[in-house]
Amino acid sequence: MDAIAERSGRLVAVAARRYDSIRAAGAIPLALRATIAVAAAVALFAMSRAEWHQVDVFFWLAMIAGAGAVVLPGSAAPLTMIISILFTWLIHADGEVDGALVVVAVSIGVLHVVCALAASMPLAAAAGVDVLRPWFAPLAAIVSATVLGALGVGALIDAELDGAWLVMLLPIVGTAGLALWWAHPPDDPRSTTPR
Amino acid sequence: MTSTAARAGSGEWRPTAAQLRAATVAVVALGVGVVARRADLMLFAVPFAIAATWGALRRPTASSDVQLGVEAASLFEGQSTRLFVAVDVGGPDIDVVTVVLEPDEFTVLDVASPVLAMAPSGSTRRTFDLRTVRWGKRAITVRQVVCTSPLGAYRSTQGPMRPIRMSTLPLRETFAAVDSIPRPAGIVGLHRSRRPGDGSEFADVRPFQLGDRLRRVNWPISLRTGELHVNSTWSDRDTEVVLILDTEHDYGHSEGIDGAASTLDTAVRATASIAEHYLRHGDRVSVVDLGQRVRRVPAGTGRGHLRRILDVLVAATPGEVRGGARRRIRPPRHGDLVVVLSPVTGTVAASQVAVLVAQGHTVILIDTLPTDIVAQSEKGWAALAWRLRLLERQVELDQLMDLGVPVVAWRGSGSLDDVLRRVSRLSSAPRVRGGSSLAGASGSRGGRR
C-alpha cells in the first residue's frame, strides 16, 4: 500500500511539474506546438478521408508519433510520423494525385518546418513575433513548390505522355530550383561565393 | 557598469534532427517513388528536398557575440538594477539565437522566462530589471547560447559564460537606539556624552574651579554674580562598539528580503544596522567573526568604514569555526560595548561571551534564533536531538544571564533601547567586585527563564 501511495505521489509530483512547465511556457513556443498539432491532425484527417484508407499499425504509429512531435519537436517523433504516413500511402493508396495528397504533403511539410523552429527554443522561452519572420519565406516556398509540383505531376499524368519518370521529375526540380533561387537571389554575394 | 562577453556560434555547426529528417524523408520518398513507379510518393519528397537543400546551402560560417552586463555591481537588499543582453550576429545565416540566463536563487529577473529567443538582425539588445533579494555574493551568467541556422538545419551551442558577480549589501532597515553607551572612554566623537568634560556641547554654567581654562570663563555671568563662572561642556564620546558575529551555524530557511530569515540573515542584517547606527553617530565600530570565516574589520569611523564592514559581511557563510573552538578572539579594549549576535547553538559563542564578561566587558547578546523555529528534520532521532540541544541552549542562556549578560531578541529598530538604558544606568552605579551588578539588566528576552 505504501509503495502504491509513494508511486501515486510521484506521479502527482511529475504531473505538477509538467503543469508548472506548461504554465511557464512562452506564447510563441506554445503557438508553435499548437501549429504542429494542427498540422499533424490535418494530415491524418485528410488521409483518413481517402476512399482507400484503412486503419492499420502505421496509422496508429503516425498518431502516436504526432502527439510525440507536439511534446518533443526536436526528437525522432516527427520523422516517425512522416515515415509512417509514407508507408501508409505506399501500401494502401491508389497512386492518384488528388486533393488529399496535396493536403497531406503540405501538412507534413509545414509540420517539418514548424518542428524545426520549435526545436530551436525551449518551451519556456520568451520570444517575440520577430522570431517567426525569417521562417515565412522558406515556408511559403515549400508550400507553393509542393502545390505547384502536385499540379505539374497531375497534368503530366493526365496528359498520358510516354517517357521516363525523368519527365515527371522535371517540374519538381524546376520548382525546387525556383525556391533556391529565391533563397539566394543573384544579387546576393553569397550566391556566387563558394562555400 | 560590469559586463561579460562570449562568442557563440564559434563552435562547430552541427546538423540538427530537422536537417537529418528532411534529407531522410526526401531520399526515402524519392527512392521508393522511383522504384515503385509512384508519382504521388515522389511528391512527398518535394517539401523535404527543398528544406534539406535550402538548409545545406545556407550553412552558417559566422559566429555571434553575446554580451551580458549590469549597470550596478553593488546593490542593497531589495534594490534593482538593469541587466542587458546584447547579441551581435556576424552574418545573415543565423535565424534564431536562444540565450539561457541563469540567475542564482536570490536574483529575480523581471522577465517571464530566463530563456530568451531572439531573431537578431545585426545587433540586438534586450534590457531587463534585475532585483536581488538577499545579501551576499550574487551571480548571474549565461548558461548556454544556441544559434540556429535557417530552417533549423544547423545549430551551434556555446557556454557557459563567465558569470557576472554582484555584491548585495545587507543594510536594509534603519536601526535606531537610545543615545546611550555604558562606558564612554575618550573625548573624540560627534555627539553628547553623559559626562561633563572637554567638548563642544554646552552643558552648564558653574563656578570656576582650579584647572579650568580661562577661555571657558563666562564673563557676563561672572560680572553679574561677582564670582568667576565658566561654561562647562559635555565630553564628546569616543567608544568602540565591537560587533561579534557568530557564523558557525545557520538555522532556518532564507527566503530573501520578502520572506523568512535564517539565523545568519538576522545576524548579518542586525550587524549591518547596528554598525550603521553607531558609525552615523561618530563612534568607532569593529566587526569580529567568531567562526573566523570573514576577516576581522578593525575599528574605524565614517561612511567608508561602513562600506568596509558591509563588504566583509557579504562574504559571511556558515561553517565550522576555523582554528577550533578553543581559539580566542582578540580581547576588546576596556570600556568597549560588545554586542554578540548568535543563535547560541554552537560550540564557541556561549564560552566566548562568558570569557568577555569575566574580563570585565559590557556584553549584550542578541539571540538570532527565531522562537518559532522547528527541527530541520522532524523524523526520528534528529528531532529528539534538536529538542535536547534547545534545552541545553536554554541552560547556557540562563547561565549567561546569571553572569549579567542581557539577552535580547532582534526586532529591528529599538531592539537594544531598553537594555542599553539599563546597562548604562548600572555601569555608572557603584560596582561590587566579583558581583553581578548587571544582573538587573539581564533577561530582557521575556519568558526565557
Side-chain angles (χ1 to χ4, degrees), chain B residues 191-270:
Chain B
H191 53 264
R192 199 174 67 183
S193 164
R194 292 177 299 103
R195 298 162 190 240
D198 201 5
S200 56
E201 185 76 18
F202 176 79
D204 198 4
V205 177
R206 58 169 174 76
F208 181 84
Q209 292 174 358
L210 195 63
D212 282 340
R213 295 185 178 186
L214 281 179
R215 65 185 176 89
R216 295 269 186 199
V217 173
N218 189 326
W219 293 110
I221 292 179
S222 299
L223 285 172
R224 197 159 57 238
T225 58
E227 192 179 350
L228 209 52
H229 277 73
V230 292
N231 293 334
S232 69
T233 55
W234 297 109
S235 71
D236 287 337
R237 193 177 58 189
D238 174 30
T239 290
E240 184 180 326
V241 179
V242 182
L243 301 173
I244 299 180
L245 179 69
D246 182 5
T247 57
E248 190 178 359
H249 295 295
D250 186 16
Y251 297 104
H253 183 61
S254 180
E255 296 175 350
I257 195 169
D258 303 318
S262 69
T263 55
L264 192 59
D265 283 348
T266 305
V268 167
R269 288 170 184 153

Side-chain angles (χ1 to χ4, degrees), chain A residues 51-110:
Chain A
E51 290 177 3
W52 46 263
H53 180 256
Q54 294 174 21
V55 177
D56 60 357
V57 66
F58 288 115
F59 186 78
W60 284 109
L61 192 59
M63 280 182 68
I64 295 167
V70 174
V71 180
L72 299 168
S75 67
L79 176 64
T80 309
M81 181 189 176
I82 294 163
I83 294 289
S84 300
I85 288 175
L86 278 180
F87 275 98
T88 307
W89 211 277
L90 173 67
I91 294 168
H92 300 296
D94 49 13
E96 286 188 8
V97 178
D98 53 6
L101 173 66
V102 176
V103 171
V104 173
V106 168
S107 297
I108 61 175
V110 170

Side-chain angles (χ1 to χ4, degrees), chain A:
Chain A
M1 188 62 81
D2 286 347
I4 293 171
E6 192 175 341
R7 281 185 184 180
S8 58
R10 279 184 196 165
L11 279 175
V12 169
V14 168
R17 275 203 299 274
R18 199 71 211 169
Y19 177 67
D20 287 344
S21 68
I22 290 171
R23 284 187 65 191
I28 296 292
L30 267 185
L32 292 174
R33 279 158 174 79
T35 310
I36 294 169
V38 168
V42 167
L44 292 172
F45 179 75
M47 199 166 62
S48 69
R49 299 295 293 173
E51 290 177 3
W52 46 263
H53 180 256
Q54 294 174 21
V55 177
D56 60 357
V57 66
F58 288 115
F59 186 78
W60 284 109
L61 192 59
M63 280 182 68
I64 295 167
V70 174
V71 180
L72 299 168
S75 67
L79 176 64
T80 309
M81 181 189 176
I82 294 163
I83 294 289
S84 300
I85 288 175
L86 278 180
F87 275 98
T88 307
W89 211 277
L90 173 67
I91 294 168
H92 300 296
D94 49 13
E96 286 188 8
V97 178
D98 53 6
L101 173 66
V102 176
V103 171
V104 173
V106 168
S107 297
I108 61 175
V110 170
L111 182 136
H112 164 73
V113 173
V114 180
C115 277
L117 176 55
S120 67
M121 65 185 80
L123 185 61
V129 184
D130 56 328
V131 172
L132 307 178
R133 201 167 298 130
W135 296 68
F136 286 142
L139 186 62
I142 285 170
V143 170
S144 53
T146 307
V147 174
L148 288 175
L151 290 175
V153 170
L156 281 173
I157 291 175
D158 290 344
E160 294 182 350
L161 290 176
D162 293 332
W165 283 99
L166 191 63
V167 178
M168 302 186 75
L169 276 175
L170 278 177
I172 299 174
V173 174
T175 49
L178 198 67
L180 293 175
W181 175 83
W182 190 6
H184 288 292
D187 57 346
D188 187 347
R190 288 170 299 135
S191 59
T192 55
T193 306
R195 288 175 179 274

Side-chain angles (χ1 to χ4, degrees), chain A residues 89 112 120 124 126 169 190 195, chain B residues 18 38 42 57 93 98 113 115:
Chain A
W89 211 277
H112 164 73
S120 67
L169 276 175
R190 288 170 299 135
R195 288 175 179 274
Chain B
R38 293 278 297 273
M42 291 169 67
L57 284 177
D93 289 335
T98 306
S113 166
V115 185

Side-chain angles (χ1 to χ4, degrees), chain B residues 262-449:
Chain B
S262 69
T263 55
L264 192 59
D265 283 348
T266 305
V268 167
R269 288 170 184 153
T271 304
S273 297
I274 296 171
E276 193 269 343
H277 169 76
Y278 283 110
L279 287 171
R280 187 161 21 96
H281 287 82
D283 291 313
R284 290 201 311 265
V285 177
S286 63
V287 175
V288 179
D289 176 21
L290 273 183
Q292 310 285 336
R293 303 195 75 80
V294 298
R295 62 185 167 84
R296 184 179 194 278
V297 184
T301 58
R303 297 293 299 177
H305 189 66
L306 175 63
R307 182 55 196 257
R308 204 171 300 130
I309 289 173
L310 296 178
D311 281 341
V312 167
L313 285 177
V314 296
T317 49
E320 199 173 322
V321 176
R322 285 181 182 164
R326 291 173 179 274
R327 182 168 175 162
R328 295 280 179 260
I329 59 169
R330 191 185 304 169
R333 233 175 29 167
H334 181 71
D336 291 350
L337 172 63
V338 181
V339 180
V340 180
L341 302 103
S342 169
V344 201
T345 52
T347 55
V348 183
S351 60
Q352 288 285 0
V353 170
V355 168
L356 289 169
V357 171
Q359 289 171 349
H361 296 290
T362 304
V363 183
I364 297 172
L365 176 61
I366 294 180
D367 183 4
T368 57
L369 193 73
T371 51
D372 56 346
I373 196 164
V374 293
Q376 301 201 347
S377 168
E378 295 189 3
K379 285 184 180 178
W381 294 103
L384 183 61
W386 176 248
R387 285 175 59 194
L388 286 172
R389 183 66 196 101
L390 286 182
L391 289 173
E392 284 178 356
R393 173 181 176 276
Q394 190 56 54
V395 171
E396 289 169 2
L397 286 176
D398 288 344
Q399 288 172 343
L400 289 176
M401 285 191 277
D402 288 343
L403 286 173
V405 178
V407 180
V408 291
W410 179 254
R411 281 188 290 270
S413 181
S415 296
L416 302 183
D417 283 0
D418 186 39
V419 74
L420 277 175
R421 275 196 204 97
R422 282 195 274 177
V423 169
S424 299
R425 192 169 63 244
L426 289 167
S427 65
S428 60
R431 294 172 65 83
V432 180
R433 190 176 180 79
S436 56
S437 60
L438 296 180
S442 64
S444 293
R445 183 153 193 168
R448 285 275 175 198
R449 282 177 182 276

